[in-house]
Amino acid sequence: MNKDAIISKVNAFLIDEFEVDESKVTPHANLMETLELDSLDLVDLVVIIEKNFGFKVKGEDFVGIKTFQDFYDYIISHVTVA
Amino acid sequence: MFFVYVLKNLGLKPAYFVLRFVAFYFFLFSYKSSKHIFHYFHKVLKYPYLRSLVNVYQNYYIFGQTLLDKVAIRAGFDKNFTFAMDGENYLHQMAAEGKGGILISAHVGNWDISGHLLMQRLKAKIHIVMFDAEHANIKKYLDSITGEHINIIVVKEDLSHIFHINKALQNKDLVCIHGDRYVEGSRVIAEEFLGRKTYFPYGAFHIASKFKVPYTFVFGFKEKKNHYRFFSTPLKINEGGVRPMVKEYSAALEKHLMKYPKQWFNYYDYWAEVPKENVLEK
């Protein structure tokens, strides 16, 4: 999977799962605020990442994630990019 | 601190004696919490007026006893306690299966003591999820006087507790969460409990459901002065969504509460309405 495919896949599940307007999902938008994540949503997000990308999510990896771009980079760094 | 001194130097009986006055003080002057416990006995359980009043006092007294027992047992001040466990095998099974698991409890009786016992008997690490730092501080204080370490995951606004829970489950540890208390702003699910529509917090059930780990409902109650009985329900993995799980939990909690009605320790308006936007329909 290449980077663009990963980003498309990430955007697709975020838009679908968190029912967010597609136009709001931009690389520099704040992830937590845009998706209005609470603790239950975060559980969903962790499960979705593990299910879709096959790696275990660690809390410390999430600390620096502020924007969608940070989130894409985090996913990309954990999957084999073609 | 005073009670710890009495427990350590004079024993449980004198501590219980002093507690009678403390419980009576709360009965007389803690109107806010007494009002809700009275409501529970009089309106929910439909006890007569006078019996409800007596039960409010007894409820405070038993609550105090459970706190003293907790300290006495964990610090080893009193070795005369006896315990019975109905369903301990399920907890051993949960530990042996090596998938981790969620223990869903409630603010009734004294489940914490069984956690202490289980730590010694189960081959698994137990984490307790607490809903605010204040409780964590109490637990830390207990740890400091007992020398025992309990892993606490404190629910925080930065949502870091979700990662701690996830990590504990990844490590195949057991995570104990209370499933009965609504925290302002949290999402809830409505279910019949003691004949009334009750809002249960979604969190514990959602976590067990999403992480697909085995779960059990666990409760512990004081039976006689020095005797406790603990209950654990058969293990399940949720496949059918949260609502059936909450229904099961409500039924299990109600069943045990009918047997130990005085050991209900939710001192607030438990059956209050919550904002509609917090109530989940799924």
Side-chain angles (χ1 to χ4, degrees):
Chain A
M1 204 185 300
N2 64 36
K3 285 184 182 181
D4 290 341
I6 291 171
I7 291 171
S8 296
K9 191 174 176 181
V10 168
N11 284 345
F13 76 62
L14 291 179
I15 289 163
D16 179 49
E17 184 67 28
F18 301 105
E19 294 170 355
V20 63
D21 189 338
E22 196 173 344
S23 63
K24 290 183 178 173
V25 180
T26 60
H28 299 294
N30 185 293
L31 181 80
M32 302 290 273
E33 285 171 13
T34 307
L35 301 180
E36 296 178 358
L37 293 185
D38 66 9
S39 59
L40 299 184
D41 295 324
L42 195 56
V43 171
D44 293 342
L45 185 61
V46 167
V47 171
I48 292 168
I49 295 169
E50 293 184 353
K51 199 170 146 189
N52 279 277
F53 298 103
F55 67 89
K56 297 284 180 193
V57 174
K58 290 179 184 168
E60 53 268 30
D61 297 340
F62 243 77
V63 173
I65 296 176
K66 301 276 183 258
T67 65
F68 282 88
Q69 187 61 54
D70 297 334
F71 187 61
Y72 302 145
D73 293 341
Y74 165 69
I75 300 286
I76 289 165
S77 69
H78 283 77
V79 297
T80 312
V81 178
Chain B
M1 289 297 231
F2 168 75
F3 273 110
V4 173
Y5 175 83
V6 175
L7 276 175
K8 195 173 182 178
N9 296 290
L10 303 172
L12 205 56
K13 260 191 181 174
Y16 279 2
F17 177 74
V18 178
L19 177 65
R20 286 202 173 276
F21 298 98
V22 176
F24 196 63
Y25 174 86
F26 273 88
F27 172 72
L28 289 180
F29 298 111
S30 187
Y31 174 73
K32 210 174 163 187
S33 54
S34 299
K35 183 177 73 176
H36 299 308
I37 290 296
F38 181 79
H39 175 88
Y40 160 75
F41 286 118
H42 189 51
K43 300 287 183 190
V44 179
L45 299 184
K46 304 197 187 313
Y47 286 6
Y49 189 87
L50 206 60
R51 186 181 169 196
S52 300
L53 272 183
V54 172
N55 272 275
V56 171
Y57 166 73
Q58 289 175 330
N59 172 275
Y60 282 130
Y61 182 59
I62 297 172
F63 180 60
Q65 282 185 316
T66 62
L67 295 176
L68 291 177
D69 294 350
K70 205 180 293 185
V71 176
I73 293 167
R74 291 182 58 194
F77 297 155
D78 195 312
K79 311 265 186 208
N80 297 318
F81 279 90
T82 54
F83 306 94
M85 288 208 180
D86 294 356
E88 185 183 356
N89 54 315
Y90 301 128
L91 298 174
H92 285 289
Q93 183 191 341
M94 187 182 262
E97 280 178 358
K99 295 177 188 165
I102 308 270
L103 284 59
I104 304 178
S105 190
H107 294 84
V108 294
N110 203 350
W111 165 252
D112 288 14
I113 289 179
S114 60
H116 162 81
L117 291 173
L118 287 167
M119 277 174 66
Q120 298 162 348
R121 290 152 72 143
L122 286 180
K123 287 175 184 158
K125 205 168 174 181
I126 300 177
H127 303 257
I128 298 174
V129 178
M130 298 214 156
F131 286 88
D132 56 54
E134 189 185 356
H135 281 127
N137 289 336
I138 292 168
K139 191 64 81 177
K140 272 182 195 162
Y141 170 67
L142 283 174
D143 291 346
S144 70
I145 58 165
T146 60
E148 182 184 78
H149 178 63
I150 286 193
N151 302 289
I152 300 163
I153 297 174
V154 181
V155 174
K156 288 185 177 172
E157 275 188 16
D158 66 2
L159 309 183
S160 57
H161 56 283
I162 297 300
F163 296 112
H164 292 302
I165 293 170
N166 186 36
K167 189 177 180 184
L169 295 173
Q170 282 174 8
N171 292 338
K172 319 298 180 200
D173 296 342
L174 309 188
V175 177
C176 186
I177 313 177
H178 283 145
D180 62 329
R181 196 174 279 184
Y182 164 72
V183 179
E184 206 177 328
S186 62
R187 286 189 264 173
V188 294
I189 190 161
E191 188 49 63
E192 184 91 353
F193 172 61
L194 295 173
R196 294 182 170 229
K197 184 166 83 171
T198 306
Y199 297 106
F200 289 97
Y202 206 70
F205 307 98
H206 184 71
I207 287 168
S209 171
K210 283 287 171 179
F211 287 131
K212 295 265 178 277
V213 290
Y215 68 88
T216 174
F217 305 136
V218 292
F219 310 104
F221 296 94
K222 186 175 175 79
E223 288 200 317
K224 293 176 201 157
K225 189 188 150 215
N226 282 47
H227 184 75
Y228 278 89
R229 182 172 290 276
F230 302 107
F231 301 91
S232 173
T233 58
L235 303 190
K236 286 190 177 177
I237 294 181
N238 184 275
E239 300 289 351
V242 167
R243 186 169 288 283
M245 227 179 137
V246 176
K247 210 177 186 66
E248 279 172 44
Y249 173 78
S250 161
L253 182 57
E254 185 172 313
K255 179 185 146 195
H256 291 301
L257 215 48
M258 286 295 98
K259 202 174 171 195
Y260 308 94
K262 290 174 191 168
Q263 298 186 47
W264 170 255
F265 302 139
N266 281 308
Y267 296 98
Y268 66 99
D269 187 3
Y270 194 76
W271 285 273
E273 278 299 317
V274 301
K276 273 186 181 169
E277 61 269 24
N278 290 5
V279 183
L280 293 168
E281 299 299 331
K282 8 183 184 174

